[in-house]
Amino acid sequence: TGGRANVTFVGVGSPYAVGGLLPGDVIEQVNGEYFDTAADALGAIAASEGDVTLSIRRADVTGPVTLTIPASGLAGAAQTY
């Protein structure tokens, strides 16, 4: 098992918002890989370009969210803890 990233903010129009991520979601995997800390999860997402699949938990339901990461990156797109 790994860590979790609790989403606290999603920037309007960001890849996170377009992908359907919401404040309160919990990121549990990035591209099928577990991570140790929220910073590790954001680092793995930020290092990606193209499609990234997140396993998220919303309320009591776990499911996938696919983000399309632009070449310009994700500055200011989301916050987690």
Side-chain angles (χ1 to χ4, degrees), residues 31-79:
N31 286 331
E33 299 291 325
Y34 290 100
F35 51 88
D36 292 324
T37 67
D40 292 340
L42 287 182
I45 295 166
S48 301
E49 189 175 316
D51 288 345
V52 176
T53 301
L54 308 179
S55 175
I56 66 154
R57 184 168 37 86
R58 182 177 293 156
D60 291 331
V61 178
T62 300
V65 168
T66 300
L67 309 178
T68 301
I69 309 302
S72 61
L74 293 170
Q79 293 177 348

